Amino acid sequence: MRYKAVIFDMDGTILNTIDDLGGALNYAMKETGHRHNFTIEEVKTFFGSGVAVAIQRALSAEAGMGEEDLLKIGTPEEKDFPVVTTEERDRVQKVFRAYYVDHCHIKTGPYKGIVELIERLREKGIKCAVVSNKQDNAVQELVKDMFPHSFDFHLGERAGIRRKPAPDMIDQCLKVLNVKSEECVYVGDSEVDIETGNNSNMDVIAVGWGFRKVPYLRSLGDFPIAMNAEELYNDIIM
């Protein structure tokens, strides 16, 4: 067997969460007096590095920042954009977090073939887990609703543990699963996921149906990009 465990990202990888994320974002922005008509494509650009970064990106987009610089927010390449204050970001974030956890499964559902994929992996004795930058209470809620009994471990963003792409969340997962990094593969849909896998010294597989476009993913390095669940299964098994 090539791998003993697979760790999945959540948003854009196993669950299509974008409509509920967009709804919650526009709600929080409206409630705090900001632009609140962001499109799905714009919202895809915002998410991937946790709620705080998503809100920072939304506020920066409102102020006129372009997509290339938006994606640098939350990374070492982030550009200073003093129009957006930490206080305002946190004010919007508080509204978003409270609203989203109660509205995170209205339009959200697994991508085609994902439930069956996880079942097939588990039948082969491969452990499965979720490690996401999504707020942890929403991760727990969505796993319970959408994937009961599917995962051996699931973790979202929590205080006291560094979010992806730092390896801390992955390290905790590997300890619980009792597998080594070289025995595991990380599956995700964004630059954060690729960097997370690299920082955790494990193989990476990207998916082409998520929040980032395939040409952009290809520019990030040499790794498999699965375009459907069957391709992903083969990339994991073979």
Side-chain angles (χ1 to χ4, degrees), residues 6-9 129-132 153 155 161-177 179-181 184-187 192-193 195-202:
V6 181
I7 305 176
F8 295 92
D9 173 50
V130 173
V131 172
S132 170
F153 179 87
L155 176 66
I161 182 168
R162 291 187 299 170
R163 62 175 171 81
K164 301 182 303 180
D168 303 43
M169 299 170 78
I170 297 294
D171 290 344
Q172 185 171 334
C173 179
L174 293 175
K175 288 178 182 178
V176 173
L177 298 183
V179 297
K180 300 175 182 178
S181 60
C184 185
V185 62
Y186 190 81
V187 178
V192 174
D193 299 315
E195 191 175 352
T196 299
N198 292 338
N199 290 343
S200 303
N201 298 313
M202 63 176 55

Side-chain angles (χ1 to χ4, degrees), residues 5 23 56 66 68 70 75 87 94 102 123 152 155 161 173 214 227:
Q56 185 83 13
E68 183 176 345
L70 288 174
T75 77
E87 291 76 17
K94 183 177 181 180
D102 292 328
E123 286 173 359
D152 301 285
L155 176 66
I161 182 168
C173 179
V214 171
M227 299 307 296

Side-chain angles (χ1 to χ4, degrees), residues 18-202:
I18 196 63
D19 287 318
D20 287 335
L21 286 171
L25 175 68
N26 281 324
Y27 172 85
M29 294 288 279
K30 181 179 180 180
E31 289 296 299
T32 52
H34 292 281
R35 177 189 164 190
H36 52 276
N37 63 342
F38 288 109
T39 67
I40 291 302
E41 290 306 311
E42 288 174 306
V43 174
K44 285 180 180 179
T45 302
F46 301 155
F47 284 90
S49 296
V51 176
V53 172
I55 300 300
Q56 185 83 13
R57 288 174 175 170
L59 292 169
S60 298
E62 177 188 37
M65 182 178 280
E67 180 176 340
E68 183 176 345
D69 288 330
L70 288 174
L71 287 174
K72 294 177 181 177
I73 293 175
T75 77
E77 298 179 72
E78 180 175 349
K79 291 189 175 181
D80 185 30
F81 207 56
V83 173
V84 179
T85 66
T86 301
E87 291 76 17
E88 188 61 11
R89 180 201 68 190
D90 292 346
R91 188 170 76 93
V92 179
Q93 181 183 183
K94 183 177 181 180
V95 177
F96 176 94
R97 287 184 180 276
Y99 181 87
Y100 181 68
V101 71
D102 292 328
H103 300 81
C104 64
H105 40 58
I106 297 172
K107 296 181 179 180
T108 289
Y111 286 101
K112 183 179 179 181
I114 290 297
V115 171
E116 295 79 6
L117 164 71
I118 295 168
E119 289 177 353
R120 292 169 72 187
L121 293 175
R122 292 180 66 85
E123 286 173 359
K124 285 187 170 291
I126 298 174
K127 297 177 181 179
C128 296
V130 173
V131 172
S132 170
N133 277 339
K134 177 188 286 297
Q135 62 194 70
D136 187 62
N137 54 358
V139 169
Q140 304 307 320
E141 185 75 15
L142 288 169
V143 167
K144 181 180 71 175
D145 287 352
M146 308 287 178
F147 300 100
H149 315 300
S150 293
F151 293 110
D152 301 285
F153 179 87
H154 35 93
L155 176 66
E157 183 186 29
R158 290 181 186 172
I161 182 168
R162 291 187 299 170
R163 62 175 171 81
K164 301 182 303 180
D168 303 43
M169 299 170 78
I170 297 294
D171 290 344
Q172 185 171 334
C173 179
L174 293 175
K175 288 178 182 178
V176 173
L177 298 183
N178 193 28
V179 297
K180 300 175 182 178
S181 60
E182 59 267 27
E183 299 172 326
C184 185
V185 62
Y186 190 81
V187 178
D189 71 308
S190 77
E191 68 285 348
V192 174
D193 299 315
I194 305 307
E195 191 175 352
T196 299
N198 292 338
N199 290 343
S200 303
N201 298 313
M202 63 176 55

